[in-house]
Amino acid sequence: MNKLQSCCFLLVLLLAANVNAQKTDTGNWFLYFGNQKINNRWNWHNEVQYRNYNFAGDLEQLLLRTGIGYNLSENNNNLLLGYAYIHSEPYVAGTDDKLETDEHRIFQQFISKQQFGRINIQHRYRVEERFVKDDFKLRLRYFLSLNIPINKKEMEKNAIYASAYNEIFLNTEQNQFDRNRLYGGIGYCFNKSIKVEAGIMSQMMANNSRAQFQIMVFNSLPF
C-alpha cells in the first residue's frame, strides 16, 4: 500500500470511528450534481437531493438547486448565483407524526480548485439567504473536499478514487454553530464527465448527530 492509499484508508477509518461513536440510525441520500459548460466562461449548475430517514421511502428532505456561474479564470475560480427549493418532513419529537415545511433560498458561492500531484482540492464558500414561512435567516458555509485517484494518475476514464470532504455551517445570529458534515467514500470515473460515488457522511449538530449513506452521481457533460 503506497502513501496515497494509506492516507485514504486512514481518512475512512477516522470517519468510521466518528460515526460509530454516535448512537444514531443511518439514513440514505441519493444525490445528483450537474455542472454543464455553456461556453469558456459560463456554466449552469443543476442539482437534486433526495434524502431519506431509511434506505428509501421515508422522506426526510427533497432539495432542488440551480444556478448560473462565471469563471474568473479558465475552468476555475467560479462565481455563482443560484436558487434552491427545499421540502422537509421532520418528525415531531416522540411521535410518528411529521411536519411539512417548504424553504426557498437564494445563494451566492465561490469555488476554487487546486491540484497537487494526484490530489485534487476544492474550496467552496457559500452565503445563503433562507426564507422559511415568515422567517428569514442568513447562513455561511465553507466546504473543503479532496479527490485522490488510486489506480491512475488522474481523474480520467476507469479511474477509481478516494473522496473526502468536510463542510461547516454557521448562522449569523445566536447559536452561530449550525452543523458540520464529515464524509469519506469511494468513486469511479466512467469518463472525465461522468462519475459515481458512495460513502458515509456524519452530520454533527449542536444537540445530536446522524450518519447518512450517500450515493452520488456527477455529470459535467457540456451542452
Side-chain angles (χ1 to χ4, degrees):
M1 183 179 291
N2 60 35
K3 292 182 179 180
L4 283 173
Q5 291 171 315
S6 299
C7 290
C8 298
F9 182 66
L10 286 173
L11 282 171
V12 174
L13 282 181
L14 287 171
L15 178 59
N18 181 75
V19 171
N20 291 333
Q22 308 294 336
K23 294 182 179 180
T24 177
D25 296 325
T26 300
N28 188 34
W29 291 8
F30 297 98
L31 312 175
Y32 168 83
F33 299 95
N35 186 36
Q36 273 54 62
K37 182 178 178 180
I38 299 172
N39 56 37
N40 289 334
R41 289 292 183 180
W42 295 93
N43 67 289
W44 171 49
H45 176 80
N46 48 100
E47 179 181 335
V48 180
Q49 299 193 21
Y50 185 74
R51 303 172 176 179
N52 293 274
Y53 288 105
N54 56 9
F55 179 77
D58 189 3
L59 179 65
E60 177 186 4
Q61 194 171 74
L62 173 65
L63 185 150
L64 307 174
R65 184 182 283 128
T66 189
I68 295 294
Y70 179 80
N71 290 324
L72 299 178
S73 58
E74 185 175 357
N75 298 319
N76 199 2
N77 298 316
N78 185 264
L79 286 171
L80 186 140
L81 173 65
Y83 164 79
Y85 166 76
I86 302 94
H87 174 78
S88 301
E89 296 186 6
Y91 278 101
V92 178
T95 74
D96 292 329
D97 298 326
K98 284 185 172 183
L99 296 173
E100 294 190 13
T101 62
D102 293 313
E103 177 181 342
H104 301 272
R105 294 180 192 168
I106 299 171
F107 68 96
Q108 305 81 41
Q109 70 180 33
F110 174 70
I111 292 178
S112 180
K113 300 177 182 178
Q114 300 170 309
Q115 185 170 351
F116 299 96
R118 290 192 181 192
I119 303 174
N120 299 274
I121 301 175
Q122 178 176 290
H123 305 267
R124 186 182 70 205
Y125 310 85
R126 179 180 289 171
V127 180
E128 296 177 325
E129 294 83 33
R130 308 173 62 200
F131 301 88
V132 186
K133 294 183 178 180
D134 296 326
D135 193 14
F136 171 77
K137 299 178 181 179
L138 185 65
R139 187 166 66 182
L140 309 176
R141 299 168 59 167
Y142 171 64
F143 174 92
L144 172 65
S145 70
L146 303 176
N147 284 338
I148 307 173
I150 297 171
N151 63 328
K152 291 181 175 287
K153 293 182 178 180
E154 297 182 0
M155 298 283 289
E156 58 185 21
K157 184 177 180 180
N158 298 327
I160 299 171
Y161 65 94
S163 177
Y165 72 71
N166 191 82
E167 183 172 22
I168 187 168
F169 298 64
L170 298 174
N171 298 310
T172 58
E173 300 178 0
Q174 59 182 357
N175 301 319
Q176 281 83 10
F177 176 77
D178 185 88
R179 67 194 63 201
N180 190 81
R181 293 174 179 170
L182 179 63
Y183 166 88
I186 295 293
Y188 176 78
C189 298
F190 288 95
N191 51 50
K192 285 196 172 184
S193 299
I194 302 291
K195 60 183 181 180
V196 295
E197 194 174 310
I200 294 290
M201 183 268 287
S202 175
Q203 180 163 238
M204 296 156 280
M205 292 171 279
N207 299 317
N208 59 68
S209 179
R210 183 174 174 83
Q212 311 287 354
F213 180 67
Q214 295 189 169
I215 300 173
M216 294 179 277
V217 177
F218 298 87
N219 168 21
S220 59
L221 289 168
F223 283 119

